[in-house]
Amino acid sequence: MKFKLLTAFLLISGFVMAQSFNIIPQPKLVNGKEGQFSFNNHATIGVNDTSLTELALYFQKEIGKAKGLSLAVTDNKSKAAIDLVLTNTAQSTGSYNLIISPEHITVSSSNKEGVFYGLISLLQLIKLDSIGDNGNIYLQACEVTDSPRYQWRGLMLDESRHFFGKEKVKQLLDWMAYYKLNKFHWHLTDVQGWRIEIKKYPKLATIGGMGNYSDTSAKAKYYTQDDIREIVAYAANRFITVIPEIDMPGHATAANRAYPEFTGGSVANYQNFTFNPANENTYQYLADIIKETNALFPAHMIHLGGDEVAFGIKAWSLDTAIAHVMVKRNFEGVNELERYFFKRMADTVSSLGSKVLAWDEATGTDLPADKTIIFWWRQNLPGQLHLALQKKYQVVLCPRLPLYFDFVQDTGHVSGPKWNGVFNGISSVYNFPDTQTPPEELNNKLIIGLQANVWTESIESEKRLDFMLFPRIAGLAEAGWTAPELKNEQAFNERLKASFKNYDNAGIYYYNPFDPSFHPEVVDFAPRIKIPKVQRYASNRISKRSHAKGRGRSKKQQKVSYASVERIHKKRK
Ligand code: TNX
């Protein structure tokens, strides 16, 4: 008996000592208190408002998965061990209080997001505890007061280059929720594949969906509209907003494969890279696509891309019809036409009551500041960020360095891009944006948050996707949530190391920066030796084949040179 008591005592005290309030991202305030709260299968979860029942059920399920407990959800508040409380005192979105006392746990906030995040913090504490001999879980008493630094804590997944599918996306959304990330930017269209069903233009999915970065003849893979609704609802349950990206006028190769009548033409290495700005029907076609897309995403935000049009825009100068439009509208150069195109499509999005999101190229287009969010990605062009802020756009920071998760994350890794030898280790992710953004910009309220982008040219397998995401996603979470004065990399690393257990339990193949050989790099393709950018972004065997079959521009059309625009201009004068 004595022995048993002693073991129980040692178990509990050992547990208390090991307890370090391991929550990622680090909350604003965590105060340790005397005593522990213990609970087992008989504990119940109560809600003070029926709108919280769904959250209680989510928590119940997660505890079940993590610890095999099946806690009952009850509306009999007074008897519940864990109370979820919606309060009347206004708090900012996502803020919460979590109180663990020896008698009781309370998670409260004035908004549902806040209660959800309080539950996530509690779940993290529970996950790292082991169950005692008596089947009890012990939590050290504490008080947590928390609120996020940024309202936009995003992750982008490119499913055009490689398609991962519903189950993987759901798993990703689970982890996003676990790290309090709240915006899922879904890159659904690009050169290699169109991944969203559009009822009015079915070939976008069935033909445009064929192929991927590593196999241009792979069978069509895409999300049906039902799939999309399912994912959007799944994300909403986790307080994650889903934003689709329909990239235009560039990166349109897959769409042009399906409907070649809307292609903006080809130049060497950039087959059918853009939509055709001279064809009035193109605008209607894209407006139809936008309309169907908009109806699927309740967030009313559409990312229109707008990046790297320069790669394919040269083809516009080779087309007489395009040249005529330029003259008619008195455009000096193709860039003006690009801006015209983008503005027109942005207006279409606005007319549907939705916000336009775009890569930083769009900073040069005069889009209305209150209806536009700019994604600053070109870290080598800080002027773009500066200009965007000057023009009063809200900005999401997602610079290639350090927030592109397709980039290599350690010196020893061989697959994935670097920028002049610089790679994106978790430390640089963690320390962003504080160490590399000028203070006047850092403190600008127009910066609404951060986002990491997972481009997938070099990522085909789920295993490699995990390897590229974990644990950088944890660094991203803390960079997006935790107040700068509370960030402490060493303390973060300790919490991170301890939390690897959760990755192990979930079967995640993560990179361990503290022990690089723990999980060797997963390489889906043989490392590419200096492949020119043009080939990486735009080459596509399918489009080349269809081009050869005569579906592309004719030789004669291609001969119309840059000079044609000037010639027509001159004639007019
Ligand atoms: C640039 S970011 C791109 C993507 C590529 C990525 C590779 C952006 C707006 N365009 O198309 O996949 O680099 O790192």
Side-chain angles (χ1 to χ4, degrees), residues 79-287:
K79 283 212 185 113
I82 302 169
D83 265 332
L84 316 193
V85 180
L86 205 57
T87 63
N88 298 322
T89 35
Q91 277 172 296
S92 59
T93 308
S95 307
Y96 68 89
N97 296 87
L98 162 65
I99 300 176
I100 303 179
S101 75
E103 299 78 34
H104 189 240
I105 293 181
T106 314
V107 183
S108 63
S109 173
S110 66
N111 51 81
K112 280 166 69 181
E113 278 96 328
V115 175
F116 183 73
Y117 292 142
L119 285 173
I120 293 287
S121 292
L122 177 58
L123 189 68
Q124 291 199 358
L125 293 175
I126 292 172
K127 271 201 166 181
L128 288 177
D129 283 349
S130 37
I131 299 190
D133 269 357
N134 51 6
N136 278 5
I137 291 184
Y138 295 89
L139 293 174
Q140 183 168 343
C142 64
E143 285 186 22
V144 180
T145 309
D146 204 3
S147 61
R149 176 181 185 182
Y150 288 117
Q151 68 174 87
W152 190 289
R153 303 177 301 278
L155 188 72
M156 189 219 79
L157 179 66
D158 165 13
E159 287 213 83
S160 172
R161 274 59 179 266
H162 285 108
F163 185 86
F164 297 92
K166 253 192 323 192
E167 287 320 304
K168 193 63 189 171
V169 168
K170 284 184 179 175
Q171 191 198 26
L172 199 66
L173 292 167
D174 287 344
W175 281 103
M176 284 181 68
Y178 191 73
Y179 283 129
K180 304 187 176 100
L181 298 172
N182 65 350
K183 301 282 187 279
F184 177 56
H185 170 175
W186 214 358
H187 187 77
L188 289 165
T189 72
D190 212 301
V191 171
Q192 287 76 11
W194 181 281
R195 309 296 183 200
I196 170 173
E197 176 192 31
I198 301 294
K199 303 252 192 222
K200 192 158 184 181
Y201 303 102
K203 287 188 287 180
L204 281 171
T206 56
I207 294 178
M210 279 167 62
N212 59 46
Y213 195 85
S214 41
D215 175 7
T216 51
S217 55
K219 80 173 212 298
K221 292 254 173 82
Y222 58 89
Y223 292 100
T224 64
Q225 297 203 350
D226 280 345
D227 291 335
I228 302 246
R229 274 187 282 267
E230 188 181 327
I231 293 286
V232 166
Y234 191 89
N237 268 328
R238 288 151 182 75
F239 295 90
I240 298 170
T241 305
V242 187
I243 300 103
E245 180 181 347
I246 308 290
D247 208 342
M248 63 183 72
H251 289 263
T253 321
N256 289 335
R257 217 156 59 211
Y259 293 94
E261 56 270 43
F262 302 115
T263 180
S266 297
V267 281
N269 291 322
Y270 293 104
Q271 307 296 321
N272 304 305
F273 188 73
T274 60
F275 291 112
N276 186 348
N279 180 351
E280 267 308 301
N281 296 334
T282 307
Y283 296 95
Q284 189 53 49
Y285 163 67
L286 291 173

